[in-house]
Amino acid sequence: MRELGHFILSDRRTLSFVQWLMAQRDLYIDRLRSVMTVFVILHHTAITYGAIGGWFWHEIEPSGALSSQLLILFCTTNQAYFMGFFFLLAGYFTPASLERKGYARFIGDRCLRLGVPLLAFGLILGPLTVGIVNYAQGDGFWPAINSLWWHKEFINGPLWFAQALLIFSLAYCGWRAVFGSPLDQNQCTPRRVPAGYWWLLSALGTGVVALAIRQFVPTGVNVIGLQLGYFATYIFLFAAGIAAWRYDWLRQLTWKNARTGIITLVIAWPAIPVGIAVARALNGPGKSNFGGGLSWTAILYALWEPFVAWGLIALWLLVFHARMNQLSAFWTWLNRRAYAVYIIHPPVLVGVSLLLHGWVAPALVKFGTVGLLACMGCWLIADPLVRLPGVRRVV
């Protein structure tokens, strides 16, 4: 009887703990990370089959074909918001992590979870992916590896995100130590979600700063492995994530206070497909500069991105908070492996696309098939990786 009573009490405590955990943990944010990781894989799959962008393997080059134009539009929309979304979510969890761990432990943890994957990719996974492509093209696997080592080329690939986030985290620590309040004196202080005009002003300001940066570093140009032309949005959203934690904005976000951003999204999004069509008609295919300078196309692209990003991010947050904030064993499994998937997806995606290189099918069919197989393969490979004692501390 005593044992039964202890079991009931333990079960009640477990139930209470689960309820407390759900109240404290925003489960939908973990799911958003997993979904955005899928979009990263699909983004690179689109580049493989006709979109514009840097990637290890291009089976189909960008062209005026309908499939290529649709994939370009898909990637352009992704680029406007999805990596910035990662930075916003990272910023959201940064203050609490710093205050819980202190400076030394926080920096050590960031170096472990960001620096080690960056090094692993640059020294192992990046060269492996290049070697796979080189082998498929008939030039051999090892010559590519030897060339990279000989020229001391470090390929950060998609782990540029880890590199940038490590820099942002260290910068936040420095700012907090010099200008911020002591760690033990900081608490969340709920404030209203900024009004609609702040959404518009911040988008306009971010677009203007992006345009200014692109006069010196156009999009597509790397500086220490980072495309600084996009960093106005990344820095703003990382800072916005920190503010969102401090003022409890994500929990307060509603359709009403996000209305301005969503309406702006609906109005602004068509501007790029229309702009691409007009530029193509005026200047010819591939001859318009959207990435830098002061042409009307460059101004349009720089201003378009944040207005679209704010609305799309708000939409994802609202839908997932309303529909995807429940406990789920399947989503827990996906979420736990999402970071590992992000790290390992280049060789997996490239391997799958090369295996299906000889398959004759429309570009969009190959995009969908390869993207699906790559996602499944990445999660299946990540599963045993996150169980390894050394690896699971990092990812």
Side-chain angles (χ1 to χ4, degrees), residues 91 106 193 233 249 271 321:
F106 174 80
V193 175
T233 296
W249 285 342
H321 187 253

Side-chain angles (χ1 to χ4, degrees), residues 47-366:
I47 295 173
T48 302
Y49 294 107
I52 296 171
W55 187 236
F56 294 93
W57 164 245
H58 295 258
E59 180 171 322
I60 301 175
E61 295 297 329
S63 69
L66 178 60
S67 61
S68 181
Q69 293 301 304
L70 289 174
L71 293 175
I72 288 171
L73 189 56
F74 172 72
C75 286
T76 302
T77 304
N78 288 341
Q79 183 61 57
Y81 83 97
F82 73 156
M83 296 311 299
F85 201 176
F86 275 123
F87 281 111
L88 182 139
L89 297 179
Y92 182 72
F93 289 108
T94 294
S97 180
L98 175 59
E99 289 162 16
R100 185 174 68 254
K101 298 175 181 177
Y103 289 107
R105 188 178 160 209
F106 174 80
I107 292 172
D109 178 72
R110 294 294 85 190
C111 289
L112 179 68
R113 288 184 51 79
L114 299 173
V116 171
L118 174 62
L119 289 174
F121 192 91
L123 298 176
I124 301 172
L125 293 178
L128 171 65
T129 309
V130 172
I132 291 171
V133 173
N134 212 50
Y135 177 80
Q137 292 174 332
D139 297 323
F141 178 82
W142 289 112
I145 306 297
N146 291 335
S147 176
L148 291 172
W149 279 93
W150 180 259
H151 292 95
K152 296 180 174 60
E153 291 186 40
F154 185 88
I155 302 174
N156 60 0
L159 269 294
W160 69 265
F161 172 76
Q163 179 182 343
L165 185 55
L166 182 57
I167 294 170
F168 289 4
S169 299
L170 294 175
Y172 175 69
C173 286
W175 178 87
R176 186 68 183 277
V178 176
F179 301 107
S181 56
L183 298 184
D184 59 355
Q185 294 181 15
N186 254 286
Q187 297 178 350
C188 289
T189 307
R191 293 186 185 177
R192 288 183 180 180
V193 175
Y197 66 89
W198 283 113
W199 292 59
L200 299 177
L201 288 175
S202 63
L204 179 62
T206 302
V208 170
V209 173
L211 183 64
I213 293 172
R214 292 173 190 181
Q215 303 313 301
F216 305 96
V217 189
T219 60
V221 175
N222 287 317
V223 178
I224 61 168
L226 303 174
Q227 291 200 34
L228 299 183
Y230 292 112
F231 269 61
T233 296
Y234 299 158
I235 293 170
F236 177 84
L237 287 173
F238 181 76
I242 293 171
W245 180 85
R246 182 73 59 205
Y247 304 129
D248 200 31
W249 285 342
L250 294 194
R251 294 177 192 270
Q252 298 181 66
L253 188 66
T254 65
W255 292 97
K256 183 177 180 179
N257 53 38
R259 179 173 53 196
T260 300
I262 294 171
I263 291 174
T264 305
L265 161 67
V266 174
I267 296 172
W269 184 85
I272 275 296
V274 171
I276 292 173
V278 172
R280 184 181 176 86
L282 293 176
N283 305 324
K287 294 183 179 180
S288 299
N289 182 10
F290 284 84
L294 288 173
S295 64
W296 70 268
T297 50
I299 294 171
L300 172 67
Y301 185 45
L303 296 178
W304 175 84
E305 282 185 315
F307 283 102
V308 168
W310 288 198
L312 279 171
I313 289 171
L315 271 176
W316 279 109
L317 287 169
L318 288 166
V319 171
F320 267 58
H321 187 253
R323 305 284 184 179
M324 305 290 282
N325 205 33
Q326 304 84 25
L327 286 170
S328 163
F330 177 67
W331 275 103
T332 299
W333 184 86
L334 290 177
N335 299 340
R336 177 63 186 86
R337 288 145 187 83
Y339 185 35
V341 166
Y342 183 91
I343 295 167
I344 68 171
H345 85 270
V348 177
L349 171 57
V350 167
V352 172
S353 59
L354 286 172
L355 285 173
L356 295 179
H357 178 49
W359 175 37
V360 179
L364 293 179
V365 173
K366 295 194 80 170

